Amino acid sequence: MWASEQKPIEDGTPAEVTVDSHEAFRDSVRTFLGQALTPELKRAGELTTSVFSDFEAALKWHKILHAQGWVAADWPEEYGGPGWDIHQRYIFQEECKLANAPSLVMMGIQMLGPMLMHYGTEEQKNHYLPRMLSGEDIWCQGYSEPGAGSDLASLKTTAVRDGDDYVVSGTKIWTSMAHHANQIFCLVRTDKTVKPQAGISFLLVDLQSPGITITPIVSLDGQVEQCQVFFDDVRVPVANLVGEENDGWSVAKFLLEFERGGHNFTIDVKKQLRKIHHQAQQTPWQDGSRAEDPVFQHRLAEAEIDAMALEQTELRIKGAVATGGNPGALSSLVKVVGTELGQRLNELAMDLAGPAAGPMNLEALNPGFDGDTCVPEHALTTMAEYINNRASTIYGGTAEIQRSIIAKKVLGL
Amino acid sequence: MNDEQQMLRDSAERYLRDNYDFAARQAMADQGIGIDEQHWQNFVAMGWTAMSFTEQDGGFGFGLAAIGQLAELFGYHLVREPMLESALLAGEVIAAGTEQAKQSLLPAIMDGSALATIPYPTDTGPELSERNGRRTVRGRLEYVPSGGTATHLVTPASHGSAPAWVIVDLQAPGVQRQTFLTHDGRLGAHVTLDTDLEDSDLLLSGDDAQQMQTTVYQRAMLLAAAEGVGAMQGALDLTVDYTRQRQQFGQPLSAFQALQHRMADMLIQVELARSLVTAACDAVDGNSDQALTLSLAAKAKVDSAARRVTQEAIQMHGGIATTNEYRVGHYFKRMALLESWPQHRDQVIEAFIQGRQPVN
């Protein structure tokens, strides 16, 4: 029934995340979280308004998880991961999120780690992977440039070979957490004479190297998560090249699949829905609360139905992956749906908050804050979340890029 | 999908693709003929009219996971014979009825000699009464799907204040039908009943009858949703093929990014709907406590997705899609009518809100 060139989206065996054998695992995760998550760490989780939590809290949580052997949930055992199956990893993520654990800084363990396991030399793996696990190295990602966003292959930061070093010049932008990081992985141009994709290499750079300047960028919510990083003749050892010289594009694409495919949007959306239900119950309406307002109920129900559809689609992907398939273009599909649904939920929260969305409350968003706020607790993060989530359809490949991938790879256009 | 389901799907797909010709379908619909006898006999021969009944009853015992696959193919190929209504909805009620009713009616449903349908849900339905030792059913049912094609009507009824389900022979004296062609190429009817029933025509009464209201209309909802997934996929496939062929401004329409992204959105909607329908079918088969919530979600999702997908299909085709001769508009028409079957989308969402589990 499929037109000849169209590829049906393959289903694997149905992935039931709630089978009995996994319930015991879920219990053990809950028990651990109940003990390990201090009120302060939970507060940092509650006050998270973007993909990043308060940095100090995230680092503390990272070290606690590392001591437990759980910090790299997706890693195989041979590299220091817990060796969990796909359902266990999902359960762990879900329980952490719903228990308000802080979000980990994920560029090292979630993105660079799997890539090094695949492309790295033994020396690179032995050096970098343990330091990622321990939190000794904090990584950031140097992909985008002021002139190279969606058209990443047009990047201009150059690396010129000079003896045993590359000399790197140029600038990277939207480098999340660069102001806290000590390492950066970069795409750099090593050959200007070939077509753009063919002249790119993948380099690991120590941010303490002479010639590097990091400039923070204040986001719309008044906080700093993004930076611009400037490279002024920075010397980087050739040993820090990952993969072959000029093969950086395939390395980067591998990594982007992890950025997109490894994420479970359902978990984020479930947490948002839970917050909105709570917020609706706290928001006065006539003699009761907005939770009883039929117009609001109807809008929320439609979003919940889409959340269920997203969840079932993510389960289909997990079924396919568990039986050896590749999420491929389906990861683009869930990225579009997950982020756009998240934004729709932000709008519902904004409609509930009304004028309470206004005050900036910058101090109150600090987990250590114990003073008075000028808005109800349920509205404290609403505006910041609404603002910060605009980026979700931009980073990791814009919604437009994802739609183009779907058009090309699934529909064959 | 297990092997049996896959085989069923493959053989149905082959048959419909090779034999269910759209032009022939249209020619027959335009003449006001409700079913193509040849196809009908072949559906029977392939076992489709017996697929859901238990082996004891002479069927194959397929669950909704398999039936949903068939419904999806019916949607894709725009099948207008009311096979799903007869064997899977009316048949479900008969199979739950008395042994006497089953023995006298199920063989005819399975061999295709009887073609039964069910009406839209009604609060009370026609009235049952007994007078002078005769049991009579009286009342009016409007817009009965395929009511003009069916030989029998299986309907909820009220017996005093107690609910019941009865089967009525639509050729019996005292049954009047006002038959009309519907926009999806079928024959609907308003049915007025004032006719006598045999003992075996009373299928269910009391709590069983009440329960069947929920069961059969939940099933109807899910079959309509599954059919919708197929129809949406059909509309999308046609649109992709057409935009690749159609040249404007010196290039195929499919080269325009504005259209590519809209087709990507169509695909997203189809796949989201498919995920929910599949999950709901599995949940019903597995008696999951999420079955009703998932079914309601699936139907609501298909309704909104189908509007978008079939409207977009017409828009991206352009003028050709507004003609009755071209296929894609027929997906649009079928889905528009399925939106209110068996309940309107707003009612489905209302039921979803009432039935969902509280969030903590």
Side-chain angles (χ1 to χ4, degrees):
Chain A
M1 69 186 278
W2 308 84
S4 53
E5 287 89 345
Q6 286 182 42
K7 294 189 207 109
I9 288 167
E10 285 171 24
D11 289 353
T13 44
E16 259 303 338
V17 290
T18 52
V19 288
D20 293 344
S21 60
H22 289 119
E23 284 313 297
F25 176 76
R26 189 184 290 277
D27 287 342
S28 71
V29 172
R30 279 189 186 164
T31 305
F32 166 74
L33 292 174
Q35 291 158 357
L37 266 182
T38 62
E40 194 192 345
L41 290 173
K42 271 192 185 177
R43 186 63 184 155
E46 284 164 11
L47 293 175
T48 302
T49 63
S50 72
V51 291
F52 299 102
S53 298
D54 173 78
F55 181 74
E56 300 307 323
L59 198 57
K60 259 186 209 157
W61 182 232
H62 182 117
K63 290 182 172 164
I64 292 170
L65 285 176
H66 177 53
Q68 176 76 6
W70 288 0
V71 75
D74 296 341
W75 286 17
E77 269 176 301
E78 59 168 314
Y79 294 114
W84 288 333
D85 68 28
I86 196 160
H87 306 303
Q88 290 173 309
R89 287 183 243 160
Y90 182 89
I91 290 167
F92 179 69
Q93 272 188 39
E94 181 174 60
E95 290 298 323
C96 284
K97 189 89 180 180
L98 296 181
N100 282 317
S103 305
L104 298 175
V105 177
M106 82 290 275
M107 281 79 76
I109 283 174
Q110 278 182 27
M111 293 159 66
L112 182 63
M115 198 280 292
L116 279 184
M117 290 172 207
H118 197 265
Y119 288 96
T121 63
E122 285 309 306
E123 290 73 21
Q124 287 170 340
K125 286 192 249 186
N126 291 338
H127 178 73
Y128 290 113
L129 295 180
R131 295 165 64 92
M132 266 177 220
L133 287 173
S134 67
E136 197 173 345
D137 282 347
I138 303 294
W139 286 89
C140 59
Q141 181 192 49
Y143 275 19
S144 297
E145 296 180 4
S150 286
D151 181 14
L152 189 59
S154 69
L155 60 90
K156 289 194 172 66
T157 298
T158 54
V160 179
R161 185 73 181 261
D162 179 28
D164 290 337
D165 291 337
Y166 286 107
V167 179
V168 179
S169 299
T171 180
K172 293 289 176 184
I173 199 166
W174 316 128
T175 39
S176 307
M177 295 287 125
H179 57 314
H180 294 299
N182 65 333
Q183 303 283 335
I184 183 169
F185 52 90
C186 293
L187 290 177
V188 292
R189 184 156 305 286
T190 37
D191 190 345
K192 294 180 184 171
T193 62
V194 291
K195 76 164 191 164
Q197 286 87 346
I200 292 171
S201 299
F202 194 102
L203 273 189
L204 309 176
V205 183
D206 187 332
L207 282 173
Q208 271 87 57
S209 311
I212 290 179
T213 313
I214 299 169
T215 310
I217 299 170
V218 180
S219 297
L220 278 176
D221 68 340
Q223 309 258 35
V224 172
E225 280 180 359
Q226 311 293 329
C227 299
Q228 184 166 3
V229 181
F230 297 89
F231 299 82
D232 184 12
D233 289 339
V234 177
R235 298 193 78 86
V236 180
V238 172
N240 286 16
L241 177 72
V242 182
E244 301 295 316
E245 190 176 271
N246 295 326
D247 193 32
W249 191 249
S250 50
V251 179
K253 277 207 303 198
F254 179 89
L255 198 149
L256 264 178
E257 291 264 311
F258 272 87
E259 185 176 0
R260 272 173 218 149
H263 193 78
N264 291 296
F265 291 97
T266 301
I267 297 173
D268 302 341
V269 163
K270 272 187 184 171
K271 185 172 178 187
Q272 273 184 289
L273 279 169
R274 188 192 271 204
K275 264 179 104 165
I276 289 170
H277 273 280
H278 178 74
Q279 194 178 355
Q281 284 158 5
Q282 309 291 315
T283 308
W285 177 76
Q286 295 186 358
D287 293 332
S289 76
R290 286 297 295 280
E292 295 147 49
D293 168 5
V295 175
F296 183 78
Q297 282 181 343
H298 196 100
R299 289 173 65 204
L300 182 56
E302 292 195 89
E304 284 181 309
I305 287 166
D306 277 334
M308 289 169 73
L310 172 69
E311 177 175 30
Q312 294 303 329
T313 306
E314 288 199 326
L315 288 172
R316 278 171 67 193
I317 296 179
K318 269 188 254 305
V321 171
T323 52
N326 186 329
L330 261 187
S331 63
S332 292
L333 189 153
V334 296
K335 207 248 166 186
V336 171
V337 174
T339 52
E340 291 183 351
L341 178 57
Q343 291 177 340
R344 218 168 106 204
L345 293 173
N346 291 138
E347 291 172 24
L348 283 174
M350 285 295 288
D351 294 344
L352 289 173
M360 285 185 76
N361 288 309
L362 283 185
E363 304 81 16
L365 290 173
N366 188 323
F369 179 80
D370 62 355
D372 291 331
T373 62
C374 51
V375 300
E377 169 72 17
H378 64 76
L380 189 56
T381 57
T382 304
M383 179 69 172
E385 288 182 63
Y386 177 51
I387 290 170
N388 289 329
N389 220 10
R390 299 318 300 171
S392 67
T393 46
I394 299 170
Y395 59 67
T398 64
E400 289 73 20
I401 291 287
Q402 308 300 348
R403 285 184 166 87
S404 290
I405 291 172
I406 293 167
K408 194 172 163 196
K409 292 200 179 164
V410 187
L411 296 174
L413 297 173
Chain B
M1 266 192 280
N2 63 31
D3 291 349
E4 270 187 326
Q5 292 168 4
Q6 190 66 50
M7 271 173 58
L8 175 88
R9 188 189 166 103
D10 290 347
S11 67
E13 186 174 352
R14 223 173 7 255
Y15 176 80
L16 294 171
R17 188 186 57 214
D18 296 344
N19 301 287
Y20 205 84
D21 180 60
F22 175 71
R25 169 205 194 265
Q26 265 321 95
M28 224 170 246
D30 291 344
Q31 293 167 55
I33 302 171
I35 63 168
D36 180 324
E37 284 295 339
Q38 188 61 51
H39 283 315
W40 185 251
Q41 290 313 320
N42 288 332
F43 292 177
V44 172
M46 283 185 285
W48 296 350
T49 47
M51 63 186 293
S52 72
F53 303 118
T54 64
E55 288 176 30
Q56 283 141 307
D57 288 342
F60 299 108
F62 276 113
L64 269 175
I67 295 167
Q69 294 287 318
L70 191 64
E72 189 185 324
L73 288 167
F74 274 33
Y76 191 89
H77 293 280
L78 286 164
V79 172
R80 64 191 190 95
E81 284 71 18
M83 213 289 295
L84 303 170
E85 289 86 335
S86 182
L88 300 168
L89 298 177
E92 170 88 2
V93 185
I94 298 169
T98 60
E99 211 45 48
Q100 194 188 6
K102 275 209 283 197
Q103 280 171 14
S104 68
L105 298 164
L106 272 192
I109 294 286
M110 286 191 269
D111 72 19
S113 58
L115 201 165
T117 189
I118 64 171
Y120 275 83
T122 70
D123 285 341
T124 58
E127 278 177 33
L128 275 182
S129 60
E130 275 101 20
R131 260 183 319 185
N132 312 325
R134 287 164 49 201
R135 178 175 284 145
T136 307
V137 61
R138 238 190 243 110
R140 179 174 162 85
L141 293 156
E142 296 191 318
Y143 308 105
V144 176
S146 291
T149 309
T151 59
H152 292 77
L153 174 67
V154 170
T155 179
S158 54
H159 199 184
S161 60
W165 280 84
V166 299
I167 182 164
V168 180
D169 180 346
L170 290 171
Q171 274 113 24
V175 177
Q176 289 184 328
R177 274 195 272 188
Q178 182 190 349
T179 297
F180 40 80
L181 189 61
T182 50
H183 278 290
D184 54 356
R186 296 165 195 233
L187 293 180
H190 298 323
V191 179
T192 307
L193 302 172
D194 185 356
T195 186
D196 293 347
L197 296 179
E198 304 288 331
D199 281 351
S200 62
D201 294 339
L202 177 61
L203 299 171
L204 292 166
S205 48
D207 290 346
D208 291 345
Q210 190 69 50
Q211 180 57 41
M212 183 53 71
Q213 282 267 13
T214 313
T215 311
V216 81
Y217 285 113
Q218 184 184 336
R219 200 175 164 92
M221 196 163 65
L222 208 38
L223 290 178
E227 187 182 333
V229 170
M232 285 191 279
Q233 185 72 53
L236 172 60
D237 286 357
L238 277 180
T239 307
V240 168
D241 287 347
Y242 183 81
T243 54
R244 280 166 149 171
Q245 286 157 24
R246 172 81 171 163
Q247 301 272 331
Q248 291 289 280
F249 306 102
Q251 54 183 332
L253 288 181
S254 63
F256 292 95
Q257 194 182 52
L259 300 190
Q260 288 179 356
H261 284 193
R262 285 161 64 183
M263 285 185 267
D265 277 329
M266 290 167 75
L267 177 105
I268 289 170
Q269 292 302 316
V270 178
E271 292 300 336
L272 289 176
R274 187 193 307 282
S275 299
L276 272 180
V277 169
T278 306
C281 287
D282 288 342
V284 172
D285 286 345
N287 283 318
S288 156
D289 58 2
Q290 287 293 299
L292 182 58
T293 301
L294 276 166
S295 301
L296 291 162
K299 181 61 164 65
K301 180 68 201 166
V302 167
D303 286 342
S304 59
R307 262 195 195 177
R308 206 160 139 189
V309 168
T310 59
Q311 288 171 0
E312 282 285 81
I314 291 178
Q315 180 66 25
M316 278 185 260
H317 273 81
I320 183 74
T322 66
T323 66
N324 211 38
E325 192 186 339
Y326 192 73
R327 185 184 178 107
V328 82
H330 293 266
Y331 290 119
F332 169 79
K333 291 197 283 185
R334 176 62 178 157
M335 291 319 296
L337 298 191
L338 275 185
E339 272 178 26
S340 63
W341 170 256
Q343 283 185 301
H344 193 272
R345 184 160 183 274
D346 289 343
Q347 295 169 296
V348 173
I349 290 180
E350 184 58 29
F352 176 86
I353 292 168
Q354 299 309 326
R356 75 165 165 232
Q357 289 171 345
V359 173
N360 47 38

